[in-house]
Amino acid sequence: MAEYLASIFGTEKDKVNCSFYFKIGACRHGDRCSRIHNKPTFSQTVLILNLYCNPQNSAKSADGSHSTVSDEEMQEHYDNFFEEVFVECEDRYGEIEEMNVCDNLGDHLVGNVYIKFKYEEDAEKAVVDLNNRWFGGRAINAELSPVTDFREACCRQYEMGECTRSGFCNFMHLKPISRELRRELYGRKRKRSPARNRRRRSPSRSRRSSRSRSRSKEHRREFRENSASLERFRSNSQDKEQREGRFGRF
C-alpha cells in the first residue's frame, strides 16, 4: 500500500495531494483547493509571485482603449526585466541554473518568475531576503517551489503553437528571452569558473608557461570586455534609473 501511494504521489490518481501544485507550484483554486498543497521546506527553486507585468496586457491609452506595443519594444522590455532580475539574484544569492517567466494570464500564474539555484541553501537565503524587498513599487512575495523539472510543468501544446486555451492554460507558457541575452547570462558562470579538469593535471614547465601566457591573454581580453561593459553601464545609467522595475528594500 505504501509503495502504491508513493508511486501515485503528485499524479492525477492522487486524490489527497494537488497534482497541479506539485507540477507547477501554483493552483488556480489557491487556498480553496480540496487537495493538499505540500509546500517544500527545502528546494533549489524560488517562486516570485506575479513579478513580471507584461506591457501588452496593461498598456491603455487615456480613453481606455488598448495602445499598441510593437514586438521589438515588447522583447526589449522583457529582456531588460529578465536581465535585471537574473543578475541581481545571482550576484546577491548564488549561481542560477535556470530562470523562467510565465506568460500566462490566469491569476495564479500571471507574471510568475521561477529561479532555480544550484544550491538549496542559496534558494533559502533568497526567499528570506526577497520577502523584505520591493520591485517596481510593489512588495515581493517569494516562496520555495516544488518545481525542479520545468519540462513537466510546461504546456507542450504551447511549445508547438497548438494550445487552444491561450493564456488561461493551467500549465506554464514560458516567455523566451533573446538568444544574445541567453548566451550572455548563462555564459557568466563559465567565465567565472575556469575548467577544473585542466587544473587536476601536473603539466611540464613548457606546458605551464604556455598556459600561463594563454591565461594572461584571456585576462586581458576579459579586462577589455569588462571595461567596455562598464562604459555602457555608465552611459545608460540615467535610462536604468528611469526603468520600471527597480529593486529596493523596505
Side-chain angles (χ1 to χ4, degrees), residues 150-162:
F150 289 93
R151 293 172 299 179
E152 291 293 323
C154 293
C155 175
R156 293 183 178 87
Q157 292 177 326
Y158 173 75
E159 293 174 349
M160 296 185 292
E162 300 175 356

Side-chain angles (χ1 to χ4, degrees), residues 23 65-66 82 85 90 103 107 135 145 153 201 216 226:
K23 286 181 180 179
S65 61
H66 284 275
F82 194 101
V85 175
E90 186 168 64
D103 201 24
D107 291 340
F135 185 88
S145 172
R201 299 179 181 177
S216 63
N226 291 337

